Amino acid sequence: VRPEGWYVDCTVGLGGHSRAILEACSPGGRLLGLDADPQTLELARNRLASYGDRACLVHGNFRDLQRLAREVGVSAAQGIVMDLGLSSWQLADTERGFSFQQEGAADMRFDPSEGPSAADLLNTLGEAELADLIWRYGEEPGSRRIARAIVAARPICNADELARIVTRAIGRRGKIHPATRTFQALRIAVNRELESLAEALPQAIQLLAPEGRLAVISFHSLEDRIV
């Protein structure tokens, strides 16, 4: 990071990477921060307020990276970072059902105003479609048993209810919770995470200035393969 030019944090979250970049590119560098989640973006806005107009935070998904950058006058970036997945704050949010350890609604949308929720998918998709979704995005070997149990238990509204259904369907095995892969699959599907990543990467490369750097932090094989 150099003390000049534009940098882009495509997944601001609570602003940890953004703050580090702003510190490193002082005094002349600026940051464009994007996040699909309006709630976490507002928290980041408060945390980064001391940087003034050097921090430009915009609500939006990084699949629209070039358009969002163009709208605020960014034609080339010295560096771009993407920290994929969800934040610890989202995981702890009891109202949106990201965690199988909470009693919140099975929503799982980063942007609550966009698209169907996890509950919508759970209660409307056919058994075969559900099984395919859980296998494709969660790589869950028990996807068919889980889908069968979900259809039999409808309607499903809460995250903890879904976790119990999955646990009964496939039992406990190993150290991770039985519902981990199913929750991952639903979250990825609801937020179109893999499609967005595939759309965003070439846009990021095109947005880079000469000798610019793109850094992507990924957490599982589905993301890894795309990156």
Side-chain angles (χ1 to χ4, degrees), residues 62-142:
F62 63 18
R63 63 173 170 258
D64 299 316
L65 174 58
Q66 284 195 322
R67 176 180 63 79
L68 294 169
R70 187 168 57 247
E71 287 177 355
V72 297
V74 180
S75 58
Q78 304 298 322
I80 300 172
V81 63
M82 301 176 180
D83 184 3
L84 307 177
L86 75 169
S87 70
S88 57
W89 187 86
Q90 288 168 323
L91 200 59
D93 185 351
T94 59
E95 296 182 359
R96 287 191 282 172
F98 287 111
S99 171
F100 42 76
Q101 297 176 328
Q102 305 288 354
E103 297 180 0
D107 191 310
M108 302 190 195
R109 289 174 293 181
F110 294 153
D111 185 345
S113 69
E114 186 175 295
S117 68
D120 292 330
L121 300 183
L122 289 167
N123 293 313
T124 60
L125 292 181
E127 183 179 320
E129 289 178 289
L130 268 174
D132 289 345
L133 183 154
I134 295 167
W135 169 251
R136 185 185 314 119
Y137 296 138
E139 299 181 309
E140 168 58 70

Side-chain angles (χ1 to χ4, degrees), residues 149-218:
I150 287 171
V151 170
R154 287 173 173 171
I156 299 169
C157 299
N158 297 323
D160 61 328
E161 179 186 6
L162 173 61
R164 289 194 297 270
I165 292 167
V166 174
T167 301
R168 286 197 299 268
I170 63 174
R172 290 193 170 270
R173 61 198 180 194
K175 295 181 179 179
I176 70 168
H177 192 284
T180 300
R181 295 176 185 273
T182 299
F183 271 65
Q184 172 186 296
L186 286 165
R187 192 200 79 228
I188 288 173
V190 164
N191 295 292
R192 294 178 52 211
E193 291 182 40
L194 300 185
E195 295 95 329
S196 296
L197 176 60
E199 292 174 26
L201 286 169
Q203 294 182 59
I205 292 168
Q206 291 171 15
L207 186 61
L208 285 175
E211 299 184 9
R213 300 289 182 90
L214 167 63
V216 185
I217 304 172
S218 60

